Amino acid sequence: MSRLLTPAMMRTLLPGLSLAALLAAIFYLQPRTMSYFGLNLLLNLAVPIALATIAQMFILCVNDLDLSLGAFISLTACITATWLNDAPLIGILALAACVAAYAALGALIHLRNLPSIVVTLGMSFVWTGIAVLVLPTPGGSAPGWIRTLMTLKPALVPFPIIAAVVIALTVHFGLMRSAAGVVLRGAGGNPKSVERAGWSMLRVKCTMFALAGFFGVLSGMALVGLTTSADANIALRYTLLSIAGGILGGGEFVGGRVSPIGAVIGAITLALAGSFLSFLRLNPDFQIGAQGVILILVLALRLLINSRGTRA
Amino acid sequence: MNTPLVDMGGVEKSFGAARALAGVDFQLMRGTCVGLVGHNGAGKSTLMNVLSGLIRPDAGSLRIDGEDFDRGYDPATAVGHGIRCVFQELSLCPNLTVAENLRISHPSIKGFGWRKTAGKVILESLDQIFPGHGINPDSEVGDLTIARRQMVEIARAFSIVDSQVDLVILDEPTSSLDQNAAAQLVTFIREFVSGSRSVVLISHLLGEILTASDTVVVMRDGVVVAVDDTTNFDRERLVRDMGDVLVDDSGFGTRINTKIVNSDPVVTGPRENGHQLILYPGEIIGFAGLSGHGQTNALVKIFEAAQGARRAISATEPAVFVAGDRQSDGIFPLWSITRNISVSSFARLMNRFSLDFDREDDEAAGWHKKLSIRTADMKNNILSLSGGNQQKALFARALGSDAKIVLMDDPMRGVDVGTKQEVYEILTEEAALGRALIWYTTETDELKHCDRVYVFREGHIVAELSGETLTEANILSSSFEAEDV
Amino acid sequence: MSALSQLTQKPWIWAWLGAVSMWMIITGISGISAGGQVLSAAASFGTFFVIVATGQMFVITLGPGNVDLSIPACMTLSATLAMKFMNGDASLLVPGLLISLTVGLAIGTLNFLLILLLRIPPIIATLSASFLYQSTAIWSNRGLRVKPPEILGDFAVAKVLGLPVLTIVVLVLTLAMAFMLHRTPFGLSVSAIGQNIRAAKLAGIKVEKTRYLTYLMCSVLAAVCGFVLAGFSGGAALNMGEQYLLMSIAVVVIGGTSVAGGYANLTGLWGASLFMFLLVSMLNTVGLSAGFRLIVTGAIIVGVVAISGRKSSV
């Protein structure tokens, strides 16, 4: 095998390549999407998905999995569309409480050594329950400033692309390049050694869960900015999308190997996959199933690359 | 007045039924290297874990530089007082680069340009200890060879950023290093302790202890049994103090031609580099070499082949596995001693539809007596046993099954001398009855019980020794050939 | 040790205590006759929880990361295909049941193949595959509710001596499962794998075969449950399995089975099933809104998991 195509290299390239391939297919099927407005329309929904994927990535990084993320983002969307709009101060406090709740969840999981899967599955009921209380029937409206931000029309480059680049780079520098980020990632790779060096795993877990909560809140806000209203089930599918995006972007389920840039690319790819399927005129009944198939295909592709790596 | 850098008194620690430390006194002066020796399970690592704040002792005192520590002594405090530790199992984060790993252990590396600083510091340290190491500080640790990881780990402990390093504890630091790198380390240790700084060196290579240390502390069964200047020790006294007879070459290669006449081999490996693994019924084969060089892996492959998986090695008879790493490979922690023994024999213990509990109990009672497992009731949980007795239960599991091939993965770790002798006899009996045994061991002395010995290095067999060629010198020299780069 | 303190040591006791106290609250509020009715309803509805949770329990006992998230989709697909095929015709009941079983076998096999071949955590494999099953159900059902054959409906609600027939059948099933769990190599292998998968492999246990059978059993039970539930509730609906995902996990955990794997408990499973049903009834009786009901249910699950923690020994 040539030096350029090492498994590590291919893992890094896989997200970008799959995005490029998908974009090419979409442009071929629907040439009109190859324009400022076309891209804007196509990529709009990618922003909240990218934020959700980043949130999930923080959890994956410390070897946990969040099955309540979709319900949580629905809740934050509901709060954004109601309290944040009507009484901004209460709204901000409520959203801050959501982030704090996530940090507490991280503490609980760490202190009692609990399986994150079961805890988050239980929490998904709690989030949905609160969301139903906040917004019993679909409705509400987006705060003006979020609406303005999400519908910005900057010159030359569509807003979703700028937003994606900003998100990816911010998290990349925070988690991958900064001195503090190293400790957070190290905690996923070898928690024992991080603890031995005198760091508190409790603080690491709380920080990572709080970060996940924070990006979950951003995702909910961005989503409402686009849809202008919310309901208690608005983002339930984000749970799967965020896991799929993180994995598609080169993250691993264990070992603290994550990639924020990859995660954002993965999220965009998944967002586009939806449009691609509808351009294909696929039976809408199979839209959900197709997402499952895409996830399975990505995992299969990854396995192929990894096994070639071990043989080489 | 000369205050010891470290002064521990009457330290005790128990894990469940096992007493790891039974009142240990330990002093360490500045500017010395202390060699700490003893068998596996003698309590060396536990004692060092207490010193580095990872384990809270049940009793005892700890004084560093004259300052008393009682409660709240944790890893951060230890690091803050200039104590660093290189652990036996590698403790780098495989998903981070070499430089990033330095940041984990050195919190003061931060701020703008930290990455450059970290890279520079670790590189300097590596250059100083292992000249010509060839490690790039930006490579991910998971991509490095085990030997290089160990170098990084050692260099990391000796790196100085702004805090003082007074004491570095090295727990089997050379277990994966080649001879050249190991010698570089010993040279560096002498240089390091020439000032006011100190080193604790744990190693099973006695030659290393004798050349590198100023003082030797010998531990056995959780207590210190000897403390003296290194000059007063020689190999013979060290071994005697550790509770063994000296490994002399007299016993090696005396067990020959024990294979059952006219039998076919039960295990046949591929021929590589002129060596081929073959095992006949009636034989006891030894696996030797430095730990972690593929012996366990080879045993697992044989086991899988015996279960019908396609492997390069073929095995024609059923096999059982005796785990040495009891916690991760052997014990079922929720079950009784009885069930832990019967688990490999479920099929044989079946009535028509259900497991025959009476027969299960009867057989367990038989092993209780035969191996003198120390418990009042075999229905007790397996964890109520001490390590050595848990190991007996694992032997009972293997020998109680009807498998012909017995694969042993360094099974005597933490087993007391008396038990060892009993087990050796039983193994010899079993071989005479037609079983075929493979015995991986890190205790060279145990290879005396073997017909032939295969030495492993870097995952491959590099030598086959038997009869006259089976000597300690030959085992060591084939374990350590210089790494071809 | 006194009999009482011995009893409180049992991991299943708390689920039963919970169930009894829920029932007492309901009876206290709405009177003894309502209490009787709710008990009878609990015996019926609780049965469905027990069926799916039994499968989930075996899966969870396999150890950390083992959870079957495809249960709701499996129930829906099995019920949809079987009801559609029978189309209310009682004479097709047996082939209908066979279709349902086939769906269970196929899903169990596919789930395990994904886990084995892609070497991914079972939770991801079953989650992604469940979307495929759900899509197939949507495609075949088109939102219609096909009525079950009358005889199936009758069976699902039939009673002998005041006890639902279904409850008796599932009780027998539970006894068989308990026998399997504690006395056969399969059940003991599941427990061994859950305690230490590497040690199980090295002790000669057929790990992959055991895992396959476990996932297969879980899917088949879910498929059968979907079939009977469709008969009970008057047809297959697309959301019929929804609440069973969390319920199956909650019932297992509350029933005293170890989330860390290796230890399972069927007595507690029954107690927890009754408890979860009575809890929801109690919340209804008290007059809590849907939102609060969700919150309390979720909080109880998280609370029980947090209190029981990871048991290192039993």
Side-chain angles (χ1 to χ4, degrees):
Chain A
M1 203 182 293
S2 77
R3 262 190 167 282
L4 268 174
L5 285 177
T6 61
M9 199 67 190
M10 280 176 73
R11 263 202 305 279
T12 321
L13 286 178
L14 183 64
L17 287 179
S18 25
L19 177 61
L22 192 64
L23 261 182
I26 289 178
F27 288 157
Y28 174 77
L29 285 173
Q30 229 10 295
R32 267 180 299 172
T33 55
M34 220 183 331
S35 65
Y36 183 95
F37 286 102
L39 276 174
N40 209 3
L41 216 59
L42 211 54
L43 293 171
N44 240 338
L45 274 174
V47 177
I49 296 178
L51 288 164
T53 306
I54 292 287
Q56 186 70 260
M57 187 199 70
F58 283 118
I59 309 270
L60 281 174
C61 187
V62 282
N63 304 332
D64 283 318
L65 200 60
D66 185 358
L67 292 183
S68 72
L69 194 59
F72 179 74
I73 293 173
S74 304
L75 167 64
T76 61
C78 288
I79 293 177
T80 307
T82 52
W83 297 346
L84 192 62
N85 190 33
D86 308 333
L89 189 64
I90 294 178
I92 289 168
L93 284 177
L95 291 175
C98 286
V99 176
Y102 250 68
L105 220 51
L108 180 73
I109 286 172
H110 174 73
L111 289 175
R112 301 287 301 162
N113 192 13
L114 303 177
S116 57
I117 295 169
V118 183
V119 173
T120 54
L121 213 51
M123 285 312 291
S124 70
F125 272 50
V126 176
W127 302 136
T128 308
I130 301 175
V132 169
L133 292 180
V134 172
L135 190 64
T137 51
S141 50
W145 58 276
I146 297 178
R147 180 86 192 126
T148 318
L149 179 69
M150 292 308 292
T151 50
L152 269 184
K153 296 266 184 313
L156 295 173
V157 186
F159 173 73
I161 295 179
I162 297 177
V165 170
V166 169
I167 296 166
L169 290 183
T170 311
V171 181
H172 180 79
F173 280 105
L175 189 64
M176 309 302 283
R177 304 294 302 175
S178 83
V182 165
V183 178
L184 297 176
R185 281 187 295 130
N190 191 342
K192 225 164 142 191
S193 116
V194 170
E195 207 152 32
R196 277 174 176 175
W199 303 95
S200 151
M201 268 305 288
L202 177 66
R203 278 179 62 185
V204 168
K205 279 255 164 146
C206 283
T207 310
M208 289 305 248
F209 272 76
L211 281 168
F214 176 69
F215 278 87
V217 167
L218 290 186
S219 171
M221 290 166 68
L223 182 60
V224 169
L226 292 170
T227 58
T228 70
S229 68
D231 73 84
N233 299 324
I234 188 168
L236 286 188
R237 63 193 189 98
Y238 278 24
T239 302
L240 180 77
L241 281 177
S242 65
I243 297 171
I247 298 306
L248 184 60
E252 306 267 350
F253 290 108
V254 287
R257 281 178 217 274
V258 294
S259 153
I261 295 178
V264 169
I265 294 179
I268 297 174
T269 311
L270 286 176
L272 286 179
S275 317
F276 174 68
L277 293 172
S278 60
F279 288 141
L280 274 183
R281 302 213 169 72
L282 185 80
N283 187 335
D285 294 346
F286 277 107
Q287 288 270 2
I288 307 176
Q291 283 174 8
V293 172
I294 288 175
L295 184 51
I296 292 170
L297 284 180
V298 169
L299 290 167
L301 204 59
R302 267 265 293 278
L303 184 77
L304 208 68
I305 292 174
N306 284 343
S307 69
R308 274 180 64 183
T310 48
R311 237 178 288 150
Chain B
M1 181 67 207
N2 214 347
T3 332
L5 177 60
V6 174
D7 188 355
M8 301 166 90
V11 178
E12 291 176 28
K13 179 72 194 176
S14 297
F15 300 103
R19 195 148 187 228
L21 296 177
V24 174
D25 299 321
F26 181 85
Q27 275 90 24
L28 175 74
M29 306 306 290
R30 283 184 173 277
T32 58
C33 171
V34 171
L36 185 55
V37 296
H39 278 298
N40 292 323
K44 300 166 301 195
S45 296
T46 313
L47 183 68
M48 289 304 110
N49 279 339
V50 170
L51 181 53
S52 51
L54 289 164
I55 291 179
R56 186 154 300 176
D58 301 332
S61 64
L62 169 61
R63 202 174 287 176
I64 294 171
D65 239 352
E67 190 183 342
D68 241 319
F69 288 92
D70 194 9
R71 266 166 218 298
Y73 185 74
D74 59 9
T77 323
V79 172
H81 284 78
I83 298 177
R84 306 270 181 77
C85 193
V86 175
F87 297 96
Q88 201 169 353
E89 72 270 40
L90 297 173
S91 65
L92 298 171
C93 298
N95 59 330
L96 303 182
T97 67
V98 172
E100 286 174 338
N101 266 291
L102 185 73
R103 150 73 183 155
I104 297 279
S105 60
H106 293 66
S108 55
I109 302 178
K110 58 187 172 195
F112 192 73
W114 71 271
R115 200 172 279 271
K116 229 174 173 173
T117 315
K120 212 179 93 206
V121 170
I122 190 77
L123 205 58
E124 268 169 17
S125 187
L126 276 167
D127 287 343
Q128 206 180 350
I129 307 172
F130 303 107
H133 52 83
I135 298 168
N136 179 352
D138 288 328
S139 19
E140 214 171 86
V141 167
D143 295 335
L144 299 179
T145 62
I146 295 184
R148 284 186 167 169
R149 280 188 222 184
Q150 198 158 26
M151 291 185 196
V152 172
E153 182 126 27
I154 294 166
R156 183 170 84 153
F158 284 105
S159 300
I160 299 169
V161 182
D162 54 1
S163 60
Q164 183 60 33
V165 180
D166 288 317
L167 168 64
V168 177
I169 302 164
L170 300 167
D171 193 347
E172 298 286 359
T174 56
S175 59
S176 308
L177 296 184
D178 62 59
Q179 233 163 355
N180 181 32
Q184 287 177 332
L185 177 63
V186 170
T187 312
F188 177 78
I189 290 175
R190 292 312 315 163
E191 202 178 298
F192 183 76
V193 298
S194 61
S196 67
R197 298 171 301 187
S198 316
V199 165
V200 175
L201 175 66
I202 300 178
S203 177
H204 70 278
L205 296 176
L206 302 180
E208 215 166 86
I209 296 281
L210 291 172
T211 45
S213 67
D214 302 297
T215 313
V216 173
V217 175
V218 185
M219 286 186 75
R220 188 164 72 204
D221 298 333
V223 290
V224 171
V225 291
V227 184
D228 209 340
D229 284 351
T230 308
T231 45
N232 296 334
F233 276 100
D234 56 13
R235 193 176 277 265
E236 195 180 344
R237 180 175 167 204
L238 275 180
V239 170
R240 206 176 49 235
D241 285 346
M242 280 159 69
D244 272 343
V245 279
L246 185 65
V247 182
D248 53 40
D249 283 346
S250 64
F252 281 113
T254 48
R255 215 190 114 86
I256 36 172
N257 285 334
T258 54
K259 81 171 215 197
I260 305 288
V261 198
N262 290 333
S263 57
D264 292 324
V266 287
V267 174
T268 319
R271 178 168 282 281
E272 35 177 26
N273 314 324
H275 304 290
Q276 186 181 25
L277 172 65
I278 292 186
L279 173 67
Y280 286 94
E283 282 189 316
I284 302 179
I285 294 291
F287 278 5
L290 298 180
S291 71
H293 276 249
Q295 298 94 333
T296 302
N297 210 356
L299 291 178
V300 171
K301 287 233 166 73
I302 297 170
F303 181 76
E304 289 169 346
Q307 285 204 319
R310 282 173 166 273
R311 294 289 178 269
I313 299 177
S314 77
T316 56
E317 293 279 344
V320 282
F321 193 93
V322 183
D325 188 344
R326 291 181 290 273
Q327 300 317 320
S328 85
D329 298 354
I331 295 295
F332 296 105
L334 300 182
W335 277 350
S336 66
I337 306 165
T338 301
R339 187 58 51 78
N340 264 287
I341 291 175
S342 71
V343 62
S344 290
S345 310
F346 283 157
R348 191 167 54 77
L349 292 171
M350 280 294 280
N351 263 342
R352 191 194 284 258
F353 298 114
S354 146
L355 199 68
D356 187 337
F357 290 148
D358 292 337
R359 248 165 65 211
E360 188 190 23
D361 287 343
D362 287 348
E363 293 200 355
W367 289 112
H368 190 181
K369 231 199 204 138
K370 184 167 183 195
L371 294 178
S372 47
I373 297 173
R374 252 185 272 167
T375 181
D377 187 350
M378 292 293 277
K379 290 259 182 258
N380 286 340
N381 184 279
I382 184 82
L383 295 180
S384 67
L385 294 179
S386 68
N389 280 290
Q390 289 181 12
Q391 195 64 52
K392 287 185 194 172
L394 293 186
F395 269 109
R397 178 196 293 172
L399 302 179
S401 80
D402 33 14
K404 198 157 185 184
I405 305 171
V406 180
L407 307 166
M408 298 179 283
D409 178 27
D410 201 5
M412 300 299 182
R413 287 179 230 176
V415 176
D416 60 273
V417 183
T419 308
K420 278 184 186 173
Q421 292 304 332
E422 291 169 35
V423 175
Y424 295 157
E425 273 168 38
I426 291 172
L427 293 181
T428 317
E429 275 169 37
E430 290 291 330
L433 290 172
R435 274 193 154 139
L437 290 80
I438 299 185
W439 188 352
Y440 162 44
T441 172
T442 48
E443 307 278 353
T444 311
D445 207 25
E446 290 182 342
L447 295 170
K448 282 181 181 169
H449 302 270
C450 299
D451 294 80
R452 283 178 290 128
V453 169
Y454 293 96
V455 184
F456 280 71
R457 181 154 38 86
E458 310 258 309
H460 299 285
I461 295 174
V462 291
E464 178 183 345
L465 308 170
S466 65
E468 285 177 0
T469 61
L470 180 49
T471 62
E472 191 189 16
N474 278 346
I475 295 169
L476 277 179
S477 69
S478 355
S479 306
F480 275 114
E481 220 89 321
E483 207 172 315
D484 19 332
V485 180
Chain C
M1 208 188 280
S2 77
L4 186 70
S5 72
Q6 228 165 23
L7 205 58
T8 55
Q9 297 284 311
K10 301 283 183 202
W12 48 262
I13 194 76
W14 303 107
W16 281 96
L17 282 180
V20 171
S21 43
M22 286 307 124
W23 181 75
M24 279 166 45
I25 295 174
I26 296 171
T27 315
I29 294 174
S30 328
I32 190 76
S33 77
Q37 276 165 16
V38 83
L39 209 55
S40 160
S44 298
F45 282 101
T47 310
F48 295 108
F49 292 161
V50 171
I51 300 176
V52 283
T54 303
Q56 187 74 279
M57 181 190 75
F58 274 89
V59 170
I60 288 178
T61 304
L62 282 175
N66 283 290
V67 177
D68 188 347
L69 296 186
S70 71
I71 283 180
C74 178
M75 289 171 69
T76 311
L77 184 61
S78 140
T80 308
L81 292 184
M83 294 308 132
K84 207 174 162 196
F85 171 79
M86 295 186 293
N87 201 13
D89 185 346
S91 64
L92 293 177
L93 191 64
V94 173
L97 182 61
L98 284 178
I99 285 181
S100 158
L101 287 174
T102 312
V103 169
L105 290 171
I107 288 182
T109 307
L110 191 59
N111 282 345
F112 183 70
L113 278 179
L114 288 177
I115 295 167
L116 189 70
L117 297 180
L118 297 187
R119 279 180 250 148
I120 49 176
I123 176 166
I124 304 296
T126 53
L127 181 68
S128 22
S130 76
F131 284 82
L132 203 59
Y133 312 145
Q134 188 71 22
S135 258
T136 316
I138 295 172
W139 166 75
S140 95
N141 171 296
R142 308 219 153 267
L144 299 173
R145 183 177 276 250
V146 185
K147 276 214 178 315
E150 228 164 85
I151 182 169
L152 180 61
D154 292 346
F155 166 77
V157 296
K159 285 189 182 184
V160 174
L161 304 170
L163 254 184
V165 174
L166 198 58
T167 311
I168 298 168
V169 172
V170 176
L171 261 176
V172 173
L173 178 83
T174 306
L175 288 176
M177 288 291 172
F179 183 87
M180 197 155 84
L181 181 65
H182 298 295
R183 297 186 153 253
T184 69
F186 169 71
L188 293 169
S189 297
V190 170
S191 167
I193 293 169
Q195 292 175 61
N196 187 339
I197 186 165
R198 189 172 154 85
K201 219 172 257 175
L202 292 173
I205 285 171
K206 301 263 183 295
V207 170
E208 297 312 341
K209 187 177 148 198
T210 308
R211 290 177 80 198
Y212 175 44
L213 286 177
T214 309
Y215 277 93
L216 202 61
M217 187 171 87
C218 184
S219 295
V220 168
L221 285 174
V224 172
C225 181
F227 184 79
V228 182
L229 184 64
F232 185 79
S233 57
L238 281 178
N239 62 352
M240 62 184 284
E242 229 168 50
Q243 61 161 331
Y244 284 82
L245 175 58
L246 193 73
M247 267 325 164
S248 67
I249 297 172
V251 162
V252 171
V253 174
I254 295 173
T257 292
S258 164
V259 195
Y263 175 79
N265 188 309
L266 277 152
T267 316
L269 204 67
W270 270 91
S273 298
L274 297 177
F275 169 68
M276 285 312 288
F277 178 79
L278 290 169
L279 170 73
V280 175
S281 313
M282 190 275 286
L283 295 176
N284 277 329
T285 314
V286 176
L288 279 187
S289 71
F292 278 113
R293 286 208 304 270
L294 285 168
I295 295 172
V296 172
T297 317
I300 284 183
I301 291 160
V302 175
V304 168
V305 179
I307 291 167
S308 67
R310 282 205 172 187
K311 295 185 190 104
S312 53
S313 64
V314 180

